[in-house]
Amino acid sequence: MKKLTAAFLACATSLLVGCGQSDDPAPQAAAPAAPQKIVVGLDDNFPPMGFRDENNQLVGFDIDMAREAAKRMGIEVEFKPIDWSAKEAELNGKRVDALWNGLTITEERKKNIAFTAPYMANHQIILVAQASPVKAKADLAGLVVGAQDGSSAVDAIKKDVPVASSLKQVKLFGDNVTALMDLSAGRLDAVVVDEVVGRYLASKRAGQYRVLDENFGTEDYGVGVRKDDTALLAKLDETLVAMKKDGSAARIAQQWFGADIIK
């Protein structure tokens, strides 16, 4: 009898404890907070988005945009030059916290990177030497075309299958500046490059290059962060919207491009 009573009491106690636990809401995990500092990864030879000036200081449109955003967010920002072809590994390996350097939003990249809303539209243009006989994409058949390794220019060329299959070679470079040097030296017949970069570089070498009327399509630039950095992504989106609304993003664009090209 005593054994039965003890067993009954133990079972009843267990049920009461269980009922008491089910009445209380499960504890909610704290929402992740935005960091107090971010390290921005960039290609430091990608003018006018991010590059080194005559004093070896990092300057550029995206540098100014990131600094303004960080100031508004109340966080510190550090700029870290990286191998742009390894940008996703740098980001997801937590060696940098954001990719902010003319980063094109693509479906392939979305698999590994979370993007802000687009802040600028861009085209993949074709630069040739001023005296080149090339007038259109069809004229590139059998020729050597240069592009930056790991850039969306490479993807844009591949997507245009008829043109891509007609090329003799797509030669890859660590940066666009080097590719244009090879174009000037006659080792390339054309370079495919982001419009904002290509037109800026061409303007610095007046009379050397010509931009074809045809291009390899339109794309959007966004800031890339790790997929689990939801708080940072939300804060960046909020800040970029505010910068567009109050005209500060347009002001930065005017300084670098002479026009408001903010999307």
Side-chain angles (χ1 to χ4, degrees):
M1 181 68 178
K2 287 180 181 179
K3 288 182 180 179
L4 181 60
T5 301
F8 174 80
L9 289 173
C11 182
T13 301
S14 175
L15 287 171
L16 286 172
V17 170
C19 289
Q21 289 175 340
S22 64
D23 288 342
D24 295 332
Q28 297 295 315
Q36 295 304 302
K37 174 184 176 179
I38 60 170
V39 178
V40 171
L42 74 152
D43 170 7
D44 64 351
N45 201 10
F46 195 61
M49 311 308 278
F51 62 105
R52 294 189 182 275
D53 65 12
E54 61 275 9
N55 298 315
N56 204 37
Q57 298 300 306
L58 284 171
V59 296
F61 170 77
D62 275 336
I63 299 289
D64 288 349
M65 287 284 286
R67 283 182 174 142
E68 176 65 21
K71 182 175 71 174
R72 291 172 180 239
M73 292 164 62
I75 64 175
E76 182 184 351
V77 61
E78 175 188 339
F79 297 98
K80 182 179 179 181
I82 60 172
D83 177 354
W84 198 244
S85 65
K87 55 191 171 294
E88 291 184 19
E90 292 286 336
L91 179 66
N92 292 311
K94 298 189 175 182
R95 292 179 287 278
V96 299
D97 303 303
L99 300 171
W100 196 335
N101 194 210
L103 179 65
T104 300
I105 301 171
T106 68
E107 292 305 314
E108 185 64 27
R109 287 174 177 171
K110 282 182 180 179
K111 296 175 183 178
N112 300 309
I113 300 174
F115 283 94
T116 62
Y119 64 90
M120 182 185 290
N122 178 59
H123 298 89
Q124 287 298 333
I125 62 171
I126 306 165
L127 279 175
V128 297
Q130 185 65 46
S132 171
V134 174
K135 305 294 183 184
K137 287 196 287 186
D139 299 333
L140 296 172
L143 302 183
V144 180
V145 174
Q148 183 181 18
D149 190 14
S151 73
S152 57
V154 179
D155 297 329
I157 296 169
K158 289 179 180 177
K159 284 180 182 177
D160 195 328
V161 177
V163 174
S165 60
S166 75
L167 300 176
K168 179 180 180 180
Q169 179 188 2
V170 175
K171 188 175 180 180
L172 302 180
F173 294 82
D175 57 76
N176 290 303
V177 174
T178 306
L180 287 177
M181 288 173 62
D182 267 27
L183 179 61
S184 296
R187 291 187 287 271
L188 292 176
D189 298 296
V191 170
V192 179
V193 60
D194 292 55
E195 182 171 25
V196 292
V197 176
R199 290 193 182 277
Y200 177 84
L201 292 173
S203 72
K204 299 298 181 182
R205 299 164 177 80
Q208 288 191 36
Y209 309 118
R210 178 165 44 84
V211 179
L212 300 192
D213 291 335
E214 290 185 284
N215 59 61
F216 279 99
T218 305
E219 57 194 25
D220 290 326
Y221 283 162
V223 183
V225 300
R226 285 182 289 275
K227 282 184 169 289
D228 57 356
D229 279 349
T230 53
L232 175 58
L233 181 64
K235 195 67 178 175
L236 280 170
D237 265 326
E238 176 187 322
T239 304
L240 286 171
V241 168
M243 289 170 63
K244 293 176 190 178
K245 284 185 176 179
D246 66 18
S248 58
R251 174 182 51 79
I252 295 171
Q254 284 282 356
Q255 291 174 353
W256 285 101
F257 305 109
D260 177 9
I261 59 173
I262 298 298
K263 183 169 182 177

